[in-house]
Amino acid sequence: MKTILSPSMLSADFAYLERDLKKVEDAGAEWLHVDVMDGNFVPNITIGPDQVADLRKVVNIPFDVHLMINHPLQYIERFAEAGSDIITVHYEVQDDTNACIQLIRQCGASPGLVLSPDTETCVLEPYMDSIDMVLLMSVYPGFGGQSYIERSTRRIREVRKMIGDRPVRLEIDGGINMETLPVVLEAGADTIVSGSCLFKGNMHENIRRFREIIAQFE
Ligand code: DX5
Ligand code: ZN
């Protein structure tokens, strides 16, 4: 599978969101990673479906919407209507995982399941045939700019093995920079989220350097 770059808008300057997100698109990123936080599942708050709908007007690449909210079932439909292409829900939330996955699919979006760093990868097993992507958190969800948790590398290997030849993507999110990118690619990640590293300095140049590293693994 071709490696996909999904820059996280969490690190954009929200006063200049259109300008910053256009940079992501112009630099050739495949997806935009949209972090949705409810101040409950995680100790931070970002945006809701109305803001996602607004962003849809100025960004054309697929939206990879990472729901860090305790009750996704209530909101999945609205996020899908707002133009989310991929919707990922955490295994750790209170709502039923199967119901979330099915609803995402019914709404015409692509479902993914997210694991926080302390959740065993084996919990994924029953869902592997009904999802399009696994998202492994390599930091504790809630904030950009944290350091990559080393044991995530072993977790990527475990999930890569579990995926086998299924058409399921393996996304990694948290602390990905020029040093950790080769590590996660080697372990088997094929979808890369990066916020603070890509938004620091020149987006074009940063993405070019990411691609150079990716090319060594393809
Ligand atoms: C954290 C978010 C991430 C975050 C990654 O809860 O899910 O998507 O933006 O940011 P960096 O790349 O700075 O770790
Ligand atoms: Zn995220």
Side-chain angles (χ1 to χ4, degrees):
M1 256 190 239
K2 186 184 175 291
T3 305
I4 282 180
L5 279 183
S6 190
S8 166
M9 64 172 281
L10 195 60
S11 294
D13 184 337
F14 275 56
Y16 303 97
L17 212 43
E18 181 176 6
R19 178 200 70 187
D20 278 7
L21 300 188
K22 281 255 185 302
K23 277 186 199 164
V24 171
E25 198 164 25
D26 292 346
E30 284 85 1
W31 294 354
L32 178 71
H33 186 79
V34 179
D35 284 307
V36 175
M37 306 186 187
D38 65 353
N40 185 2
F41 178 66
V42 287
N44 202 0
I45 301 178
T46 57
I47 60 170
D50 294 344
Q51 290 71 41
V52 172
D54 282 345
L55 295 173
R56 198 65 283 185
K57 295 184 232 162
V58 293
V59 185
N60 295 306
I61 52 177
F63 281 3
D64 163 30
V65 178
H66 176 190
L67 294 184
M68 286 164 273
I69 62 178
N70 249 333
H71 295 288
L73 270 181
Q74 277 175 40
Y75 296 97
I76 284 168
E77 236 172 309
R78 288 182 60 200
F79 277 104
E81 278 165 14
S84 310
D85 299 273
I86 300 104
I87 300 180
T88 58
V89 290
H90 272 262
Y91 173 80
E92 300 85 6
V93 300
Q94 293 162 15
D95 288 348
D96 180 70
T97 302
N98 265 321
C100 291
I101 294 169
Q102 274 165 33
L103 183 57
I104 295 168
R105 215 165 301 262
Q106 263 169 36
C107 293
S110 187
L113 190 54
V114 197
L115 297 191
S116 288
D118 292 339
T119 306
E120 289 298 330
T121 54
C122 59
V123 305
L124 290 166
E125 201 73 69
Y127 307 101
M128 286 314 271
D129 289 318
S130 46
I131 54 176
D132 293 340
M133 185 162 81
V134 172
L135 168 50
L136 282 181
M137 292 306 298
S138 39
V139 297
Y140 289 95
F143 301 92
Q146 304 178 73
S147 300
Y148 179 82
I149 298 171
E150 293 298 331
R151 63 191 154 80
S152 310
T153 311
R154 176 183 54 80
R155 293 163 57 76
I156 297 170
R157 286 190 216 288
E158 287 168 6
V159 176
R160 173 48 65 203
K161 215 168 156 189
M162 212 184 280
I163 289 175
D165 50 18
R166 293 181 178 92
V168 173
R169 302 204 71 95
L170 205 182
E171 183 174 53
I172 186 84
D173 182 8
I176 305 302
N177 53 37
M178 309 292 168
E179 285 71 46
T180 52
L181 178 61
V183 176
V184 301
L185 289 169
E186 201 276 322
D190 58 28
T191 307
I192 308 295
V193 177
S194 178
S196 49
C197 174
L198 288 180
F199 277 92
K200 197 167 149 202
N202 184 294
M203 170 74 61
H204 242 99
E205 175 60 14
N206 292 337
I207 288 201
R208 192 192 61 74
R209 289 179 65 193
F210 263 47
R211 297 271 189 222
E212 257 175 31
I213 298 171
I214 289 168
Q216 295 167 20
F217 293 86
E218 280 180 339

